Amino acid sequence: MIAPLTKRRKDDTPYLRSEDVEMLLPTLARLPRGVLLERARIRDRKNPDYIPSECLLYFVRASRLDNSDAWFERLYKVLVERVLRAVPRAEAGGNTASLVNDTIRNAVFDRFVEMVAQDRRQPDDKLDFFEVRFDLAVKRLRLDAQERAWREENRSDALDEDSGETGSDDLAATALDPFESNIFSDPLFRDRVYLAIDQLPPEQSRTVHLLLLGWPIHSNDPAVMTIAKALGCSDRSVRNHRKRALKTLAALFNPGDHQ
């Protein structure tokens, strides 16, 4: 049985999925998981086997009832790729427009991951509208992030530089830090962490992998290869990539998951 949505409008009428989605969900639910995953990976919306994002999100949310995170992680990766394709991508060169796009992209990703993680821990109705109008819901996240990014861009350079620094407080607020070697004592948990790192936006994934290899973010020695040099961005950008990556990993993994 397909679980109904619980969110209600101001007039107390319930949120309802589209008729097409409601009709398709029972059919998809009967498919073998391997077939469902292959169909979820189809990007062409004109393909008759394409799975609407509203349906894909339903199965991501429903996976909380499983005893394993493996199915969630496979579906989640496909869903996040769809979200990232709907937001502006930063271009090479590091100009102002590109940096703003990078900020918007990361903000949308962070917020969506936060909602999925919260829904997985304690089901609520924040994602219900995404099951009704997924594209519109992502667009609203993008517009909100865009407004904040433009507002921040208009601040003074000094204030902007201060807000971009990542200090110990950021790490203290993070539930899981992949740079702590003791979390890798469990091989199965280690594999899950690496899989999650690979699913981060490219700039965050590369940053975390290089940090795990011991690369420095900055060095006063011009002969030393740093992460900032490797990625072609500023030290500040690397720190922001690191901060956002840690926030995402913390949302995906509760502190006791590897115990």
Side-chain angles (χ1 to χ4, degrees):
M1 179 177 177
I2 303 302
L5 301 177
T6 60
K7 190 176 183 63
R8 307 188 76 84
R9 304 177 188 278
K10 292 182 178 180
D11 61 2
D12 204 37
T13 58
Y15 274 56
L16 298 174
R17 303 180 185 97
S18 71
E19 184 176 344
D20 290 343
V21 169
E22 286 287 359
M23 292 178 61
L24 183 57
L25 281 174
T27 301
L28 295 175
R30 291 191 291 268
L31 293 176
R33 286 188 170 183
V35 175
L36 180 64
L37 183 60
E38 286 303 312
R39 287 186 57 175
R41 289 170 175 158
I42 296 174
R43 295 186 178 185
D44 184 2
R45 298 191 183 207
K46 296 181 181 179
N47 189 310
D49 287 335
Y50 175 81
I51 294 181
S53 297
E54 292 84 356
C55 295
L56 178 55
L57 176 60
Y58 169 81
F59 289 107
V60 168
R61 300 178 77 184
S63 70
R64 76 169 71 91
L65 301 177
D66 291 357
N67 292 325
S68 170
D69 290 332
W71 180 235
F72 161 76
E73 289 169 358
R74 293 188 182 101
L75 293 175
Y76 168 81
K77 179 179 180 180
V78 179
L79 183 64
V80 165
E81 287 174 350
R82 294 192 183 190
V83 173
L84 290 176
R85 286 199 299 272
V87 292
R89 181 182 297 275
E91 300 176 356
N95 56 43
T96 299
S98 179
L99 292 175
V100 170
N101 283 346
D102 185 53
T103 299
I104 295 170
R105 183 179 179 83
N106 283 312
V108 171
F109 179 82
D110 289 349
R111 179 56 183 150
F112 185 74
V113 167
E114 181 182 344
M115 287 191 292
V116 171
Q118 180 178 343
D119 186 78
R120 189 162 177 77
R121 290 191 300 267
Q122 181 67 42
D124 60 24
D125 60 12
K126 289 186 176 61
L127 285 172
D128 281 11
F129 184 64
F130 286 78
E131 287 197 48
V132 178
R133 296 280 302 279
F134 188 87
D135 289 342
L136 178 58
V138 172
K139 181 179 180 180
R140 288 180 177 177
L141 288 184
R142 178 174 57 79
L143 292 175
D144 288 344
Q146 179 176 290
E147 182 180 352
R148 290 195 302 271
W150 287 348
R151 190 164 56 242
E152 291 175 3
E153 183 62 27
N154 290 329
R155 294 179 179 177
S156 67
D157 290 341
L159 178 59
D160 187 50
E161 186 66 28
D162 289 341
S163 64
E165 290 299 321
T166 302
S168 58
D169 290 343
D170 296 314
L171 298 182
T174 303
L176 178 143
D177 186 349
F179 310 111
E180 293 182 359
S181 59
N182 63 332
I183 73 166
F184 290 106
S185 58
D186 182 341
L188 294 178
F189 184 71
R190 179 174 62 241
D191 290 343
R192 288 179 57 202
V193 173
Y194 277 122
L195 177 63
I197 291 172
D198 289 339
Q199 293 172 7
L200 294 170
E203 64 280 358
Q204 294 181 26
S205 178
R206 289 194 294 267
T207 295
V208 174
H209 279 301
L210 291 175
L211 285 167
L212 288 172
L213 291 173
W215 283 42
I217 294 177
H218 170 79
S219 175
N220 292 325
D221 185 348
V224 173
M225 175 55 73
T226 66
I227 298 176
K229 291 178 183 178
L231 300 184
C233 61
S234 67
D235 299 348
R236 175 184 164 227
S237 293
V238 174
R239 293 189 181 96
N240 282 334
H241 294 331
R242 181 182 191 273
K243 176 182 178 181
R244 293 182 179 114
L246 289 175
K247 180 179 179 181
T248 299
L249 293 174
L252 289 175
F253 297 97
N254 289 324
D257 281 351
H258 58 286
Q259 296 177 355

